[in-house]
Amino acid sequence: MGTFLLAGCKQKSVQAEKTADGLTKIKVGYIGLTCEAPLYVAYEKGYFKEQGIDAELVKCEWGVFKDLVGMGTIHVVQQPIMAFLKPIEEGLDVKLTAGIHRGCLRVQVPLGSSMKTVQDLKGKRIGVPGMGTPPFIFANRVLGDNGLDPRNDVQWKVFPSAELGLALEKGEIDALACSEPIGLLLLSEKKVQNIVDQTTDEPYASEYCCDVIVNGKFADANPDATAALTKAIMKGAKWVETNPRAAAKMSVEKKYIASNPELNADAISRLRYVPSIEGGKVAIRGAAEGMKRAGILKPDMDIDASIKKIYREYPGVNDEWIKGLDIEKVAMGQVEKNQSELVQQELATIGSPTEIRTCCNPANKAMASKTTTP
């Protein structure tokens, strides 16, 4: 595994390189997030090699992530669709090939708040980890879908992900939009209640959050390799769905992410890793329509033409294939019935994670390292 920064990077050759034994060399970019577990599993379980891929996992800095995949310095990532649609509209050359998981984003208010509905957020201050981040886009969509104007009916305030809970406690914001594991951590610490949860509330619960995203020139020049890496990641996702606790512990123990094992297991178990080719395509439409209503995408954007341009499907890589794939069920690999209690015990003994990465923000230090069991 390596680490990439942007400085000095140039557009890489689109023709895939081969190893001496005929494997296709692929650089898989990751940030170190809870939801990227399928990438870690596909690497550790040998699913990439099974598909003829010699994968190198490359840890990337958040600020240059889209640029690296756009230039082909890395070939493939697993990231939120919403985070890429605006850059795609502005010319980013990437292709999407499969939906990987649903859920991840939330809009939350203080526990016991009188705010119960989206309409109650009118005139309120909403904390987000950054303008243009997936939580910001999701909150914009939620507001627009419920008759509010995201530009005029609320005030946006930016805080690092790990400081959103503290800002809420201090009264600097009235609500927040976040992604895992922040949302679950705040719920576990009994600091917030959900206004909207992408995991459970329709129409968002049926929509895929993250897709496989491939450098556009690479995908067009190497269809077989792109199909193969898509299959490997989809298989990794199905393994995560079958063995969420094992996947969570692997992610922590192999040092892909900085988190607590039981908290990470709880977070992963709330995301639905049911990979889908059709679902990944449909999610583009849902996200694009919502982002148009929120004023993030151009009102005249042709969604059908955009999907045709950016979504790639390959023979043999379909929902029937993934549904028919048998995945081993690992002993102790599933979440426990008392998983919430295990999280509480973990937080009370070793404290909250000292560094938190989410699918919307770079790592930042958590403000509180200890919590007590309520």
Side-chain angles (χ1 to χ4, degrees), residues 59-297:
K59 195 167 187 178
C60 304
E61 295 299 323
W62 173 260
V64 297
F65 201 53
K66 296 183 187 71
D67 294 316
L68 292 174
V69 69
M71 292 189 304
T73 305
I74 53 178
H75 301 109
V76 59
V77 298
Q78 175 206 308
Q79 280 292 296
I81 297 167
M82 286 186 286
F84 275 76
L85 287 183
K86 186 63 179 179
I88 288 172
E89 184 182 64
E90 294 174 343
L92 183 71
D93 184 13
V94 294
K95 308 301 180 189
L96 285 64
T97 65
I100 295 301
H101 74 81
R102 302 195 293 266
C104 195
L105 302 167
R106 290 185 171 101
V107 178
Q108 300 174 317
V109 296
L111 185 65
S113 169
S114 61
M115 291 180 284
K116 306 294 183 185
T117 69
V118 176
Q119 285 77 15
D120 294 333
L121 296 175
K122 185 172 183 178
K124 300 296 192 280
R125 301 161 299 169
I126 303 178
V128 293
M131 308 299 278
T133 60
F136 171 78
I137 297 170
F138 179 64
N140 271 257
R141 288 182 59 190
V142 167
L143 293 169
D145 291 345
N146 286 272
L148 298 183
D149 182 350
R151 288 161 291 186
N152 299 308
D153 286 342
V154 299
Q155 179 184 354
W156 301 101
K157 301 195 72 174
V158 175
F159 293 88
S161 291
E163 297 179 22
L164 285 168
L166 182 63
L168 196 67
E169 286 185 67
K170 293 170 64 176
E172 296 176 342
I173 54 177
D174 305 299
L176 60 89
C178 63
S179 63
E180 297 295 16
I182 298 295
L184 177 59
L185 179 62
L186 294 175
L187 287 170
S188 297
E189 294 177 337
K190 301 190 183 303
K191 294 179 178 178
V192 299
Q193 61 194 37
N194 292 331
I195 290 288
V196 179
D197 185 343
Q198 191 186 28
T199 307
T200 58
D201 297 332
E202 296 293 354
Y204 316 108
S206 299
E207 181 181 298
Y208 279 79
C209 172
C210 289
D211 263 28
V212 175
I213 301 175
V214 187
N215 170 266
K217 291 183 175 59
F218 181 90
D220 289 342
N222 304 278
D224 290 343
T226 304
L229 64 85
T230 299
K231 291 176 78 172
I233 297 171
M234 290 178 76
K235 186 174 181 179
K238 191 167 183 179
W239 196 94
V240 174
E241 178 73 8
T242 307
N243 304 288
R245 193 161 183 246
K249 290 193 171 185
M250 175 194 293
S251 300
V252 175
E253 290 170 358
K254 295 289 185 177
K255 301 187 184 305
Y256 290 109
I257 73 170
S259 183
N260 297 350
E262 298 298 352
L263 176 67
N264 196 41
D266 203 355
I268 284 181
S269 71
R270 293 168 188 261
L271 308 179
R272 292 306 313 279
Y273 286 92
V274 185
S276 171
I277 299 298
E278 184 62 23
K281 180 164 62 175
V282 170
I284 298 173
R285 177 175 301 281
E289 288 174 347
M291 291 171 70
K292 285 178 69 173
R293 283 192 294 272
I296 297 172
L297 296 178

